[in-house]
Structure formats: C-alpha cells, structure tokens
Amino acid sequence: MEGLKQLLFDITDSMSIAGFEYHTADKLRGALMKYFDESHHTPNGNIMFIKRSEKPNAPRLLIDAHYDEIGMMVTEIKENGFIRVTNIGGIDTRILLAGEVIIYGSEPVYGVVCVMPPHLQKPGESNTLPQIGDLLIDTGLSSEDLVQKGVETGTPVGFKPGNLELLNNCVAGKGYDNKSSVAAAAEIMRLIDGADVGWDICLLCSCKEEVSALGAKIGSYDIDPDAAIVLDVNLAYVP
C-alpha cells in the first residue's frame, strides 16, 4: 500500500487542469511505463499505455480513467495586480475562499483567493456565496510583474498541491478525481506484471472529462476495444 500511496501522491502533485493536461504527461509516463510496452500521447491530450499479449490477435481490453482535474483560468489582470478568474469544470466556491492557488505562467506564481473580512461586509453578504467571477486572487505582484512572469488572460490556475494523511490509512488531497483511479489501474498492472492474461491491455488516461468527456469518446474510437472497464471516483462511503 505504501507504493500505491506514493504513486498517488506523486501524480496528484502535478497540475492537469482540463485543457492543460500536458503539464503532467511526463510524470505519468515516468510512473506507469514500467508496466507497459508502449505509450502514445494523442493531439487532443489523451495518454494511452499498451501492454501487448503474446497471444496472436489477442482481444483488446480498455481501462479508462480520466486524469484531468478541475481548476480555473485567468480572465482579467487588474491594474493593481489582482487577478480575476473563471472556472474550468464544476467548482464549489465554498472551497475557494482564502484558498492557496498557483497561476501557471512561464513560471509558477503563488497566490491566495481574497475574502472580504466580516466587519467590512454589507448586511446580508455573509449569508450568500460569492460567484467565482466576483473573487480576486492576490499574488503580491503588480500587473507588470505578472505579465513578465507569463501570466495573461487564458493562463490556468490550479489548487496548491498537498496530500494529507488521515487516520485509518485514509488520505486527502487535490486531483484525486480522478488520478486515484489512474493509480488504481497502475496497481492492477503491477499485480499482473510478468503474466500474460491473453489480452492486449490498453490504459487510457483520458483528458477533458471535467468539461466534456471528449477524451474518453475519442480514445474509445482510437483503441476500438473488445471490452472496457471505466474507473472514476464517487461519493465517499461513510458508515
């Protein structure tokens, strides 16, 4: 379990916001290629790993797990250096307030989501959630400094990486939807490593699930499998 946990921690530390998955492609290949014979990075952002069977004309099994994650995108850099963003995928603004983020310009820029303190809020404002377009990110930099660091409209913004080890062998962190399924698929391949199961096994790390599911749709046509297993996270089980 320690190896599986470390793999999960390693791949979730990389940013893979939908549409910008290429940021984590090299780390995924480095972590998973030891279980496969070949890999392909498709133009749309999918990464396909293939383990060939020694059986001639073996059937193809597709294991699909999307590896993109939710995030944000810069929509405006204000004159005072504050950054306005929009969401990429479904984001609950309750988790954003005072949250730490990284703006992925030509170099990472760290910031924090601004929150109006209670004593400055107007009556009733504390009872409503702000819209994401009303929030601002403070990096401490001027607008000129941000431009020099490659931050502009369209630059992706992700949650600051960090993994937390809870009790009872539980963990928490960002990007577990759905890199936890990628890690689970890698663990399957580790367990059968060296065995010929009579199938060509294709692990599709599919892109853009958080915005369109386009990666899985394209990847299934690319692979044309005889059977498929789709892995994704769900609501937590609480006894």
Side-chain angles (χ1 to χ4, degrees):
M1 291 299 294
E2 283 301 314
L4 176 59
K5 182 169 65 177
Q6 190 57 55
L7 172 62
L8 177 62
F9 287 1
D10 288 345
I11 61 178
T12 53
D13 276 347
S14 294
M15 184 275 279
S16 60
I17 295 171
F20 300 92
E21 295 92 345
Y22 57 85
H23 281 263
T24 196
D26 288 341
K27 178 164 283 191
L28 271 182
R29 280 195 292 265
L32 272 62
M33 265 309 297
K34 56 188 173 184
Y35 304 122
F36 295 90
D37 298 316
E38 58 191 83
S39 71
H40 306 283
H41 193 175
T42 64
N44 72 313
N46 285 338
I47 307 177
M48 292 187 289
F49 297 90
I50 302 176
K51 177 70 173 178
R52 301 286 184 185
S53 171
E54 297 178 0
K55 178 181 177 181
N57 301 315
R60 275 170 287 189
L61 172 65
L62 165 62
I63 302 176
D64 171 66
H66 77 87
Y67 76 107
D68 64 310
E69 59 186 315
I70 60 173
M72 293 163 282
M73 177 187 293
V74 174
T75 58
E76 180 187 2
I77 301 175
K78 301 180 74 66
E79 291 184 2
N80 56 11
F82 286 93
I83 295 172
R84 200 178 297 278
V85 296
T86 189
N87 60 296
I88 298 178
I91 291 183
D92 187 341
T93 55
R94 289 175 295 182
I95 70 170
L96 293 181
L97 306 181
E100 297 177 86
V101 297
I102 301 178
I103 301 97
Y104 290 90
S106 54
E107 58 182 278
V109 177
Y110 293 84
V112 62
V113 180
C114 301
V115 178
M116 182 72 73
H119 59 281
L120 295 181
Q121 292 179 0
K122 297 177 182 178
E125 282 188 340
S126 61
N127 298 325
T128 61
L129 281 175
Q131 300 296 309
I132 191 169
D134 296 328
L135 298 174
L136 295 172
I137 295 174
D138 186 8
T139 66
L141 299 176
S142 67
S143 58
E144 292 81 7
D145 290 338
L146 288 169
V147 170
Q148 289 181 358
K149 293 182 179 294
V151 178
E152 59 187 0
T153 300
T155 298
V157 180
F159 301 104
K160 183 181 177 181
N163 292 282
L164 180 64
E165 297 200 41
L166 307 175
L167 297 177
N168 297 324
N169 204 32
C170 293
V171 292
K174 69 98 182 168
Y176 283 25
D177 175 13
N178 183 37
K179 289 178 186 164
S180 57
S181 293
V182 174
E187 178 67 6
I188 293 170
M189 299 307 298
R190 185 191 70 81
L191 292 172
I192 65 172
D193 191 33
D196 187 356
V197 297
W199 288 67
D200 289 341
I201 301 177
C202 306
L203 171 59
L204 174 64
C205 295
S206 55
C207 65
K208 300 177 180 61
E209 189 273 347
E210 298 293 353
V211 293
S212 66
L214 187 61
K217 295 174 184 177
I218 293 175
S220 61
Y221 281 102
D222 285 340
I223 296 170
D224 190 21
D226 296 284
I229 301 172
V230 179
L231 304 176
D232 206 342
V233 299
N234 207 324
L235 300 177
Y237 171 69
V238 181

